[in-house]
Amino acid sequence: MNNYERLLLENKAWAMEKLADDPGYFERLVDIQNPEFLWIGCSDSRVPANEITGTQPGEIFVHRNIANMVVHTDLNLLSVLHYAVNVLHVKHVIVCGHYGCGGVKAAMTNHDYGIINKWLRNIKDVQRYHRDEINGMPTEEQKLNKLIELNVQEQVMNLAKTSIIQKSWKEKQYPHLHGWVYDLHDGITRPIFEMPAGTHMDPIYEFDDL
Ligand code: CO
């Protein structure tokens, strides 16, 4: 049996198990998508949104990319964010990074990664904004993990800089923005930063005519 065939077999077994527990399980999910959370996480295979939060299909709307970035020209992220905020009306947006992130690690090097350079540039900028704090950490691993935390914080702030979030904050007083970091060593996710609706930021980013 090929590796990929195992996935289809496991899927069949999973579907049968769900039905055995609850015969109406799939039918109920067909017509309703009402998640309260948007998850913006890393593509890393070790950080699956549903598994680590103990949530079921239907509970989290998910966007993942290398190093859980919120890039203000990324049409994919912006489309997900717009849909989550204005159609699904999610109450919370979570940016979840993880210690040991390969994307952040790559951004700390001077290696040429081809087209990924352009993505990593966004992380290098975060490193430059916080250079002193990062360089103040004693070991390489601690420098990396500090940048991972600061990157999560910057991505939450990037969400708050969008007109999508600012308009929703003004009209509906949500969503609440969260920055979390998952630890591969113990499986625990720790909140490190948050921006409740209405949080002010550098005024240059605040739209006054939404
Ligand atoms: Co990662």
Side-chain angles (χ1 to χ4, degrees), residues 122-130 147 151 154-155:
N122 298 295
I123 309 170
K124 284 181 186 277
D125 291 343
V126 175
Q127 191 174 0
R128 182 165 56 82
Y129 303 150
H130 301 281
L147 177 55
N151 185 50
E154 286 290 336
Q155 303 321 310

Side-chain angles (χ1 to χ4, degrees), residues 173-184:
Q173 290 75 54
Y174 61 80
H176 192 119
L177 310 181
H178 306 262
W180 295 354
V181 182
Y182 174 78
D183 193 333
L184 294 169

Side-chain angles (χ1 to χ4, degrees), residues 37-41 49 52-53 60-64 94 96 180:
F37 311 100
L38 166 61
W39 175 276
I40 299 169
I52 67 169
T53 57
I60 307 191
F61 199 60
V62 173
H63 177 84
R64 290 168 69 180
I94 298 153
C96 187
W180 295 354

Side-chain angles (χ1 to χ4, degrees), residues 42 44 98 101-102:
C42 184
D44 193 305
H98 65 103
C101 182

Side-chain angles (χ1 to χ4, degrees), residues 41-47 65-68 96-105 148 184:
C42 184
S43 296
D44 193 305
S45 62
R46 298 164 297 178
V47 196
N65 61 41
I66 291 175
N68 39 270
C96 187
H98 65 103
Y99 294 119
C101 182
V104 177
K105 205 181 284 179
I148 283 161
L184 294 169

Side-chain angles (χ1 to χ4, degrees), residues 188-208:
I188 301 297
T189 304
R190 296 175 175 85
I192 56 155
F193 186 69
E194 65 178 323
M195 292 181 83
T199 303
H200 286 289
M201 64 202 88
D202 189 318
I204 195 75
Y205 298 112
E206 293 187 346
F207 299 104
D208 59 11

